[in-house]
Amino acid sequence: MASQSTSGSFRSTGAPEVRVSQEQQGLEALDTREQLKRLLEREVANKPFSELSAVTYQHRGSQLAGHLLLDTLEDAGFGIDDFDAVGALTAASIPLAISMLQAAASRGQDLDAFVMDFVYPSIKGPSIQGKRVILLDAWLSEKSYVQTSSLVTLRNGNELGLDFSILGHEGAQVLGIAALIGSTPSVEGIEVVNPLTEEGHMLPFIRVYDEQEFKLGTARESAADDGDDGDGDDGGASGEVEE
């Protein structure tokens, strides 16, 4: 009968040869940020947008994403004690919200999650009355063509402004917006306009990875596959999507 760990860590499961095979993949030798980047590269390469679900619903990807989002927020000045809940703006960010909740729990911290929805009730989850919240998306960018919400959010501000007003009506304080991958035209953050009051708010935008990191990686991989050293005129164009 297999012995059970008493150290308080998760119990190892699966056949020994399976565990060895996973360990030999080499990811463990990298720092956590690079581990997750390696997993994401296949989902991002040569795509204008991806919901990243092959990574965010994968056991290792989910664990890494939750902890790295918390770490990146902390580096940006939002420690785990500075906010009470994370709100998934889209279906693609629901697994990330749950990952953050579980990552916080593993650190002995309490964090709630909720989902923004156009179907009543507009906020699904525990009460956010009086809570400080961080809004969350998977890939938030001006080139998020597939995910209409992201496109509308960054080009017109309509949907995010509506979300902002709903949260305010519920008594929550929105501190900022976070994403696993993202980019914005302004380094200051994302401006939202409350459609009810027409009042504008600039919200900090915190992302674990800038999407440009993956475009550069894709260009290098394409050059290597072609036997090129990447110095040619076409080396930097791989993976770019024209408007």
Side-chain angles (χ1 to χ4, degrees):
M1 182 175 181
S3 62
Q4 181 174 337
S5 172
T6 59
S7 64
S9 61
F10 293 114
R11 183 190 306 174
S12 297
T13 59
E17 61 270 18
V18 174
R19 297 202 299 270
V20 170
S21 175
Q22 292 172 339
E23 292 168 356
Q24 289 176 343
Q25 291 178 0
L27 284 177
E28 290 79 0
L30 305 172
D31 64 53
T32 53
R33 192 177 189 279
E34 187 62 25
Q35 285 185 48
L36 183 57
K37 186 177 179 182
R38 293 284 182 90
L39 293 176
L40 289 168
E41 281 174 343
R42 284 169 288 183
E43 294 304 303
V44 176
N46 299 313
K47 298 177 183 177
F49 177 76
S50 166
E51 291 192 334
L52 310 177
S53 56
V55 174
T56 59
Y57 281 102
Q58 193 251 15
H59 63 283
R60 184 59 176 160
S62 174
Q63 183 181 45
L64 289 168
H67 282 283
L68 283 169
L69 279 162
L70 290 180
D71 291 345
T72 305
L73 281 165
E74 184 174 17
D75 291 342
F78 298 99
I80 190 65
D81 292 327
D82 297 322
F83 58 99
D84 308 299
V86 288
L89 288 169
T90 59
S93 55
I94 293 175
L96 290 174
I98 301 303
S99 296
M100 292 180 69
L101 182 154
Q102 293 176 332
S106 74
R107 302 179 182 194
Q109 300 285 344
D110 294 330
L111 182 66
D112 288 334
F114 62 93
V115 179
M116 301 296 300
D117 198 342
F118 286 116
V119 178
Y120 182 85
S122 55
I123 297 176
K124 292 179 169 59
S127 172
I128 58 171
Q129 176 71 38
K131 291 185 177 179
R132 304 159 299 171
V133 305
I134 298 287
L135 298 179
L136 181 65
D137 212 336
W139 184 346
L140 186 56
S141 160
E142 277 201 306
K143 289 192 174 182
S144 299
Y145 292 117
V146 177
Q147 193 171 27
T148 305
S149 63
S150 294
L151 181 63
V152 173
T153 290
L154 289 182
R155 291 194 173 173
N156 303 312
N158 297 334
E159 182 177 330
L160 190 51
L162 179 59
D163 291 334
F164 186 84
S165 67
I166 291 172
L167 290 165
H169 183 266
E170 292 292 324
Q173 177 188 1
V174 181
L175 302 181
I177 304 170
L180 198 55
I181 299 176
S183 68
T184 59
S186 171
V187 295
E188 298 177 4
I190 297 176
E191 183 177 11
V192 299
V193 178
N194 188 318
L196 300 179
T197 65
E198 297 186 352
E199 183 180 0
H201 300 267
M202 183 65 72
L203 295 177
F205 180 45
I206 303 98
R207 64 268 200 186
V208 178
Y209 304 96
D210 191 289
E211 65 179 13
Q212 195 65 31
E213 297 181 54
F214 295 96
K215 293 178 182 178
L216 293 173
T218 300
R220 287 194 296 268
E221 290 175 5
S222 297
D225 291 341
D226 295 337
D228 193 353
D229 59 6
D231 294 330
D233 293 339
D234 296 333
S238 299
E240 294 288 351
V241 178
E242 297 295 334
E243 293 282 3

